[in-house]
Amino acid sequence: MNLQFLIGVSLIVSIVLVFVLKRRRKKGEPPLENGLIPFLGLAYQFSKDPLKFLISQQAKHGDIFTVYLAGRYITFIMDPTQFQYVIRHGKKLDFHEFSNEMASRTFNYPRLSEAKFPQLSDHMHKIYKIMQGKPLDKLTDSMMINLQHVFKWKFSQATDWKTEKMYQFCCSIMFEASFMTLYGRDPVADGRKVISEMREKFTKFDAKFPYLVINIPIALLGDTKNIREELIHFFMPTKMDKWHDQAEVIRARKDILEQYDMLRDHDKAAHHFAFLWASVGNTIPATFWALYYLVRHPEALAAVRDEIDHLLQSTGQKKRPEYGIHITREQLDSLVLLGSAINESLRLCSASMNIRVVQEDFLLELEDDQSVSLRKGDFVALYPPALHKDPEVFEDPEEYKYDRFVEEGKEKTTFYKKGKKLKNFLMPFGSGSTICPGRFFAVNEIKQFLALILIHMDMELIDFKPIGQDNSRSGLGILLPNADVAFRFKLREFSD
Ligand code: HEM
């Protein structure tokens, strides 16, 4: 038998199998697209350009449809006026099962099963409150101090133009300052060297993160397994015990993890590593896009800088080279133009898919007496980029408008679809009970970074060629740029 014959036979068998075994749509269920390739279904078409693919399915089937993607049936709800009906069904549409499995596999700790680790998941979620409300003030103040340490160390000499790659630049500053704010530092070892080693390994791990999430065996991902182990080892309890000035949220996580004898030191360290990923994995690219768009749009940069300069004046602070700026959380909140510029860049670069797993067969009731039958084990997904790029909600959605989220000097929160005011119009942080617990801190960090750099630096792009987005982590959070971009900066002249 020759090879061509064998390939031909397997192809025919696969097509017959797909046809015989393919799922059929039942009454009340959404339109179904199985695709032709066994197991993969339409995964290839989806991964090439998720937004384009989903919009084409929407044009074909309407706002709700089910697609077979890499072994999973996923029902997409495309109409944002219906999102709240999915979000409020926390029990029948659960996220934790999915995230727990995915996170334990990706970061290499045992699954948080109730039988083995009673209430561990609950305890961990309660701790997230320490990143909101009053405790956020302390975290924010500490970030400001650490950011200024890094700025002073890196830029005191930048009196002449200095050129750097912008993503690298944002990554090194945000990684170091966020790490020190959350985890503190070892007072004896050369903290800066340790953090920079960790950042290099983190960047390598992060590049493979999307493959781990979709369950590609780590053995096929080159050196990733060793790098992950090295990263986990940074957080072994014996090492962390030596670090001073840890944030309350990290101390509380350590205390909780210590209460579970079934967890090995390695497992505890892996949990800390997972939290590190959550805290910088999206914040770094989000910071990059926020800075990139501002530097690319000088009128936006000037307006935002003006707002910050006014705040400094009104609080009696002067821009001085010694980096002693203090901006409280309330003052950060009052910077509406800066907040709007950040929201606008999040609108353009965030691609976090909100996924829920259907816990039992049930009828999901939607607005206007609509309903849809869902099957146990299927996924339900909201894909915010379709909302973020919807011209009915955001006029000229491909354009960067730094003041899109400002109205009469205040934050604008009124956006409409089909004449209805949307409850969820910007969703970079997920939604409902699983919404990102670090979102307020994240926005504050980015504001602080931008405020400091606008106060202290003049900046210009060197590469004017517009950059695109790397779609490989589409569905997982903030997209990375598909290339880094050179820019130059120097210290602004300070006057009395
Ligand atoms: C721009 C920056 C950030 C973005 C876009 C982002 C986005 C997200 C998203 C989409 C989720 C999943 C929520 C869901 O699917 O419903 C999430 C979860 C999470 N985020 Fe963030 N995040 C950011 C920054 C942060 C920061 C700074 C921290 C901590 C300091 C943090 C901590 C977490 C944690 C711990 C979870 C998991 C929550 C759970 O266990 O349910 N995030 N984030």
Side-chain angles (χ1 to χ4, degrees), residues 43-238:
Y44 175 68
Q45 291 87 331
F46 177 81
S47 62
K48 246 182 21 188
D49 188 339
L51 182 58
K52 201 164 153 203
F53 171 77
L54 291 174
I55 298 222
S56 72
Q57 294 298 316
Q58 186 181 22
K60 190 165 162 195
H61 298 296
D63 287 331
I64 306 177
F65 48 85
T66 303
V67 185
Y68 185 61
L69 293 177
R72 284 282 183 182
Y73 288 95
I74 308 186
T75 297
F76 287 92
I77 313 270
M78 300 293 286
D79 177 356
T81 66
Q82 309 280 17
F83 283 5
Q84 50 194 305
Y85 297 89
V86 174
I87 293 166
R88 76 160 73 126
H89 267 292
K91 287 233 157 62
K92 287 181 183 164
L93 294 173
D94 184 63
F95 171 74
H96 293 107
E97 178 191 326
F98 169 74
S99 64
N100 185 2
E101 187 278 322
M102 188 264 278
S104 67
R105 183 165 40 72
T106 305
F107 297 105
N108 198 20
Y109 57 73
R111 284 185 73 161
L112 297 180
S113 80
E114 267 309 291
K116 214 165 164 198
F117 306 108
Q119 291 188 308
L120 178 54
S121 180
D122 272 3
H123 288 316
M124 299 272 244
H125 278 89
K126 282 199 184 114
I127 288 172
Y128 294 150
K129 289 209 176 67
I130 308 178
M131 291 191 287
Q132 297 166 16
K134 257 289 162 236
L136 180 61
D137 289 3
K138 218 167 148 200
L139 212 51
T140 306
D141 284 350
S142 162
M143 183 70 187
M144 194 67 172
I145 292 169
N146 285 318
L147 269 173
Q148 294 191 79
H149 270 313
V150 180
F151 269 72
K152 194 169 176 182
W153 171 71
K154 248 179 124 46
F155 306 123
S156 304
Q157 310 302 325
T159 42
D160 211 348
W161 288 107
K162 203 167 176 269
T163 300
E164 281 203 28
K165 293 281 187 187
M166 195 184 274
Y167 191 86
Q168 272 298 106
F169 174 91
C170 295
C171 181
S172 73
I173 297 174
M174 288 304 271
F175 190 93
E176 183 167 341
S178 306
F179 186 88
M180 286 196 297
T181 302
L182 292 166
Y183 294 92
R185 69 153 94 197
D186 183 340
V188 179
D190 181 349
R192 186 149 276 141
K193 192 160 154 254
V194 174
I195 295 175
S196 122
E197 266 174 40
M198 196 184 296
R199 175 171 43 84
E200 276 167 30
K201 293 187 198 302
F202 181 90
T203 307
K204 289 186 185 152
F205 173 84
D206 196 33
K208 301 289 187 249
F209 176 79
Y211 303 106
L212 290 172
V213 170
I214 58 167
N215 218 349
I216 305 283
I218 197 162
L220 300 180
L221 299 176
D223 209 18
T224 310
K225 192 168 179 193
N226 289 335
I227 293 172
R228 182 175 71 182
E229 277 315 292
E230 286 164 8
L231 281 162
I232 289 173
H233 271 83
F234 277 112
F235 295 92
M236 288 304 249
T238 44

Side-chain angles (χ1 to χ4, degrees), residues 95 125 128 131 278-279 282-283 286 352 428-429 431 434 436-438 442 445:
F95 171 74
H125 278 89
Y128 294 150
M131 291 191 287
S279 65
N282 283 312
T283 312
S352 341
F429 295 109
S431 56
T434 61
C436 170
E445 296 181 270

Side-chain angles (χ1 to χ4, degrees), residues 159-404:
T159 42
D160 211 348
W161 288 107
K162 203 167 176 269
T163 300
E164 281 203 28
K165 293 281 187 187
M166 195 184 274
Y167 191 86
Q168 272 298 106
F169 174 91
C170 295
C171 181
S172 73
I173 297 174
M174 288 304 271
F175 190 93
E176 183 167 341
S178 306
F179 186 88
M180 286 196 297
T181 302
L182 292 166
Y183 294 92
R185 69 153 94 197
D186 183 340
V188 179
D190 181 349
R192 186 149 276 141
K193 192 160 154 254
V194 174
I195 295 175
S196 122
E197 266 174 40
M198 196 184 296
R199 175 171 43 84
E200 276 167 30
K201 293 187 198 302
F202 181 90
T203 307
K204 289 186 185 152
F205 173 84
D206 196 33
K208 301 289 187 249
F209 176 79
Y211 303 106
L212 290 172
V213 170
I214 58 167
N215 218 349
I216 305 283
I218 197 162
L220 300 180
L221 299 176
D223 209 18
T224 310
K225 192 168 179 193
N226 289 335
I227 293 172
R228 182 175 71 182
E229 277 315 292
E230 286 164 8
L231 281 162
I232 289 173
H233 271 83
F234 277 112
F235 295 92
M236 288 304 249
T238 44
K239 290 193 178 164
M240 279 185 81
D241 286 346
K242 292 191 196 137
W243 298 348
H244 286 194
D245 299 327
Q246 283 170 16
E248 205 183 332
V249 60
I250 299 299
R251 286 203 308 270
R253 275 172 74 84
K254 256 174 78 189
D255 291 347
I256 294 289
L257 291 167
E258 281 309 323
Q259 290 169 21
Y260 289 81
D261 297 337
M262 297 278 282
L263 286 173
R264 299 169 303 154
D265 281 355
H266 176 281
D267 304 333
K268 294 171 196 161
H271 273 284
H272 291 301
F273 167 50
F275 191 84
L276 172 75
W277 189 89
S279 65
V280 291
N282 283 312
T283 312
I284 291 170
T287 306
F288 163 80
W289 287 112
L291 179 64
Y292 172 73
Y293 283 119
L294 279 179
V295 179
R296 231 193 134 67
H297 296 86
E299 76 296 350
L301 190 142
V304 172
R305 178 178 271 161
D306 209 39
E307 182 182 53
I308 297 163
D309 283 349
H310 269 101
L311 176 75
L312 289 194
Q313 266 169 21
S314 69
T315 53
Q317 301 186 67
K318 292 226 167 93
K319 359 176 202 176
R320 294 201 165 276
E322 58 267 24
Y323 298 98
I325 302 285
H326 185 244
I327 306 180
T328 65
R329 185 162 70 93
E330 285 83 10
Q331 288 162 354
L332 283 176
D333 288 347
S334 74
L335 295 170
V336 282
L337 274 183
L338 177 61
S340 170
I342 293 171
N343 278 348
E344 178 66 344
S345 57
L346 287 173
R347 181 185 71 79
L348 289 167
C349 70
S350 68
S352 341
M353 185 144 84
N354 295 206
I355 289 180
R356 304 285 188 265
V357 184
V358 182
Q359 301 298 305
E360 57 186 70
D361 289 0
F362 83 107
L363 193 69
L364 175 67
E365 311 269 359
L366 299 164
E367 201 156 82
D368 301 331
D369 294 331
Q370 288 185 65
S371 62
V372 64
S373 282
L374 297 174
R375 283 195 211 183
K376 181 176 174 179
D378 283 1
F379 282 5
V380 171
L382 312 178
Y383 191 66
L387 156 67
H388 296 163
K389 300 279 176 72
D390 184 340
E392 198 186 328
V393 183
F394 298 105
E395 205 186 326
D396 305 324
E398 295 303 329
E399 247 178 66
Y400 171 80
K401 297 184 182 176
Y402 73 98
D403 55 356
R404 195 186 284 278

